[in-house]
Amino acid sequence: MEKRSGSGGSQIFENLGTILRKCIFSVLSVGPIPNHIAFIMDGNRRFAKKQNLIEGAGHKVGYLALMSMLRYSYELGVKYVTIYAFSIENFKRRPEEVQSVMDLMQEKIEQLINEESILNHFGVRVYFIGNLKLLSAPVRLAAERAMLVTACNSKAVLSICVAYTSTNEIMHAVEESCVKKWDEIRELNASGVDCGLTKLEGYEKGEAQDLINLTDIEKHLYMAVAPDPDILIRTSGETRLSNFLLWQSQYCYLYSPSVLWPEIGFWHLLWAVLNFQRNHFYLEKKKKQL
């Protein structure tokens, strides 16, 4: 009986929270709503140490914080959310720590594709962004399965950056652009068409300076699946981007609350959106000056 009473009280509290958020979001919607919010989830290990928890427990609590942030973001009407889950640099940590994070990641990916998960509730399509070849086979297969299962969802998008850094993303995009351009040149050579691309000696004279342009590179970026972020939130009070979305974050609003990632809550997201709205005109003006 006590269990039922506790469960009922918890449900009532949750419903009240949902109603309160709807009221606040309806007021926020009078101003510009961000289309894309990105998160650097910093502070899981420090949270575990601060709370005297066992190693890895901070990441588990951090996952719960992530679920809350996703719910709040999609309730607000944000279509794109991107999270920095695991950097290529993180592979340099102790092997047992890396393995622990990989195991947790596999477990949580499988939870995400559950029929009753937040992804299906909000119609979210998942992309795993980064050099996925660096992941262990079980994690990579779980990621591929999640992308396949959610491929028909079209209301919102969640991009999960794993085995990712911006420098790797840019290098990959340049390499792919070069490969594609050379393939086009070979096709022209095979067809006997001379469009000014087939004379290799011309490259030395600067004739090829526009063969690969900005648009070509942007099409091959891992993050081509989403527009540039409007807000980038990094917890722990850190203002570094840590090699995350360097290409895409030129004109987004940066917010660095002092809380550790597992401690982030609704009011932090609300404050980020309010400040984005306050700076929106200035940011849009800067974009138009490009």
Side-chain angles (χ1 to χ4, degrees), residues 1-271:
M1 191 73 177
E2 287 180 5
K3 272 191 175 180
R4 288 183 182 177
S5 176
S7 177
S10 176
Q11 187 63 47
I12 291 171
F13 184 77
E14 185 177 329
N15 291 340
L16 286 173
T18 302
I19 293 169
L20 176 62
R21 290 196 302 275
K22 283 184 179 179
C23 293
I24 293 173
F25 290 156
S26 66
V27 174
L28 277 181
S29 63
V30 174
I33 297 298
N35 189 39
H36 183 180
I37 298 179
F39 295 96
I40 298 178
M41 304 182 293
D42 190 17
N44 288 320
R45 292 189 299 169
R46 275 171 283 172
F47 176 82
K49 189 174 181 179
K50 177 181 171 183
Q51 301 293 329
N52 293 317
L53 301 175
I54 60 171
E55 187 174 295
H59 290 88
K60 291 181 179 179
V61 182
Y63 175 80
L64 298 177
L66 171 61
M67 291 300 101
S68 295
M69 287 299 105
L70 291 179
R71 178 174 296 278
Y72 302 153
S73 297
Y74 295 134
E75 284 179 351
L76 173 60
V78 176
K79 180 166 184 179
Y80 298 90
V81 175
T82 299
I83 61 170
Y84 201 5
F86 200 80
S87 164
I88 290 176
E89 298 299 317
N90 292 149
F91 283 108
K92 296 177 182 177
R93 293 178 178 176
R94 291 181 295 110
E96 55 270 27
E97 182 182 347
V98 172
Q99 186 58 51
S100 175
V101 173
M102 289 294 113
D103 291 343
L104 179 64
M105 193 179 298
Q106 182 185 349
E107 175 190 332
K108 297 309 178 184
I109 291 171
E110 290 168 354
Q111 284 183 20
L112 277 176
I113 59 178
N114 185 288
E115 286 185 7
E116 298 177 359
S117 78
I118 192 170
L119 301 185
N120 290 311
H121 179 74
F122 288 101
V124 181
R125 181 171 186 174
V126 176
Y127 290 97
F128 282 84
I129 305 295
N131 188 353
L132 304 187
K133 294 177 183 177
L134 297 178
L135 298 174
S136 63
V139 176
R140 187 171 62 254
L141 289 172
E144 290 170 353
R145 189 162 57 251
M147 288 190 282
L148 182 63
V149 168
T150 62
C152 293
N153 292 348
S154 58
K155 292 181 180 178
V157 172
L158 171 63
S159 299
I160 302 175
C161 294
V162 292
Y164 172 93
T165 61
S166 272
T167 48
N168 178 264
E169 176 184 31
I170 294 167
M171 183 178 70
H172 171 267
V174 171
E175 288 175 347
E176 289 295 307
S177 299
C178 291
V179 168
K180 182 173 176 57
K181 192 61 64 175
W182 275 113
D183 286 344
E184 290 174 2
I185 292 172
R186 289 193 189 98
E187 287 179 12
L188 289 171
N189 281 330
S191 64
V193 177
D194 182 3
C195 295
L197 300 177
T198 57
K199 297 178 180 178
L200 294 180
E201 64 271 13
Y203 295 138
E204 296 177 3
K205 299 173 184 177
E207 291 180 13
Q209 61 181 354
D210 294 326
L211 275 180
I212 297 175
N213 56 38
L214 195 64
T215 304
D216 293 322
I217 294 173
E218 288 183 334
K219 282 193 301 188
H220 290 94
L221 290 169
Y222 293 137
M223 282 299 298
V225 298
D228 291 349
D230 298 299
I231 302 175
L232 196 156
I233 299 174
R234 176 171 186 158
T235 48
S236 302
E238 296 284 353
T239 54
R240 296 175 292 109
L241 293 182
S242 295
N243 218 341
F244 178 58
L245 302 186
L246 300 182
W247 185 282
Q248 299 86 354
S249 59
Q250 184 177 7
Y251 291 111
C252 76
Y253 171 69
L254 303 178
Y255 175 52
S256 304
S258 59
V259 294
L260 303 175
W261 174 253
E263 299 168 331
I264 194 171
F266 171 73
W267 300 108
H268 298 103
L269 180 65
L270 177 63
W271 185 248

